[in-house]
Amino acid sequence: QKEVEQNSGPLSVPEGAIASLNCTYSDRGSQSFFWYRQYSGKSPELIMFIYSNGDKEDGRFTAQLNKASQYVSLLIRDSQPSDSATYLCAVNGAGSNYQLIWGAGTKLIIKP
Amino acid sequence: EAQVTQNPRYLITVTGKKLTVTCSQNMNHEYMSWYRQDPGLGLRQIYYSMNVEVTDKGDVPEGYKVSRKEKRNFPLILESPSPNQTSLYFCASSLDFSYEQYFGPGTRLTVT
């Protein structure tokens, strides 16, 4: 069974600090990795995607991928109260499995 | 405006009464998918479709049916709903399963 694991939280971070969210996955052949943000009662929206080992930066967000250790992380710099949401990690598998496997999400709370 | 639409947004029904949740996208996407989201369990894929007339089971297909007769529409059918199908349902579409998925606004279904 292919799995994606996230700490459910809540993760509480002071405003202006760096929030660090982590995700591990079981399928070593996974090739595409996504971070989605979901506000309560709303649909998920893409924050970042990453395909290669290393870091990828977009504004205040940085995705980090380490395929050898099978983890992907999301860093949010200068955290704002509007960043308070649940962050979902999704991974697509290798081979003929045309599915994304989703983690259960980490709830992030940014305290003013 | 590029979007995924779902109808209805809210539905309360009784056990055994057949229902259909519609999903439509205007982005000419090949890949469409249905998810259910329950507290603590994250997003679980019900069915997906790689393109017209091609559908396949996700992780939790029991009790659901789908069809993909045209590219833009992907309805979800519950032939005989049961209370354990009470959930928040999302339809999503993308160019391909390895690309960003765009989500509809969600359908909150209650089966009594």
Side-chain angles (χ1 to χ4, degrees):
Chain A
Q1 178 77 4
K2 297 172 184 174
E3 294 181 342
V4 173
E5 301 284 343
Q6 294 181 256
N7 188 320
S8 62
L11 174 65
S12 184
V13 173
E15 183 176 357
I18 296 175
S20 178
L21 304 163
N22 298 309
C23 170
T24 60
Y25 59 94
S26 63
D27 185 355
R28 187 169 288 278
S30 297
Q31 298 172 343
S32 304
F33 307 85
F34 303 86
W35 283 101
Y36 285 78
R37 177 177 64 198
Q38 186 177 26
Y39 294 113
S40 181
K42 302 296 185 182
S43 53
E45 56 180 341
L46 184 72
I47 297 295
M48 295 281 290
F49 65 88
I50 186 167
Y51 300 138
S52 303
N53 268 335
D55 294 359
K56 179 181 179 182
E57 186 175 319
D58 184 2
R60 295 187 298 112
F61 299 93
T62 299
Q64 299 176 317
L65 175 61
N66 185 323
K67 290 187 176 181
S69 300
Q70 295 177 239
Y71 81 80
V72 56
S73 61
L74 179 70
L75 302 178
I76 306 174
R77 290 181 299 281
D78 187 23
S79 296
Q80 302 297 309
S82 59
D83 295 325
S84 297
T86 296
Y87 289 80
L88 303 171
C89 174
V91 176
N92 86 323
S96 61
N97 185 345
Y98 302 111
Q99 293 180 255
L100 276 182
I101 309 300
W102 295 78
T106 297
K107 185 173 184 178
L108 176 65
I109 299 173
I110 305 300
K111 290 188 172 180
Chain B
E1 180 190 356
Q3 60 182 351
V4 179
T5 57
Q6 292 179 230
N7 283 292
R9 294 288 313 279
Y10 303 91
L11 180 59
I12 300 174
T13 189
V14 296
T15 299
K17 186 177 181 181
K18 181 179 178 180
L19 66 92
T20 299
V21 184
T22 64
C23 173
S24 183
Q25 51 94 4
N26 62 1
M27 295 169 279
N28 202 37
H29 285 165
E30 295 287 342
Y31 186 89
M32 297 187 74
S33 182
W34 275 103
Y35 296 93
R36 61 177 289 173
Q37 187 173 38
D38 303 288
L41 296 179
L43 285 168
R44 292 183 293 168
Q45 193 172 46
I46 303 170
Y47 270 94
Y48 63 92
S49 171
M50 293 294 292
N51 49 47
V52 175
E53 301 292 1
V54 180
T55 64
D56 207 348
K57 297 177 181 178
D59 297 317
V60 288
E62 293 77 20
Y64 304 95
K65 287 176 58 176
V66 293
S67 67
R68 186 93 181 272
K69 292 183 169 56
E70 49 190 338
K71 184 182 277 191
R72 64 183 294 125
N73 296 323
F74 191 45
L76 179 70
I77 303 159
L78 285 73
E79 294 272 4
S80 182
S82 63
N84 65 12
Q85 293 178 298
T86 292
S87 188
L88 179 59
Y89 291 86
F90 288 106
C91 179
S93 75
S94 62
L95 283 170
D96 178 85
F97 81 106
S98 60
Y99 287 83
E100 172 186 6
Q101 294 200 17
Y102 294 81
F103 285 81
T107 295
R108 188 167 292 281
L109 172 66
T110 302
V111 183
T112 61

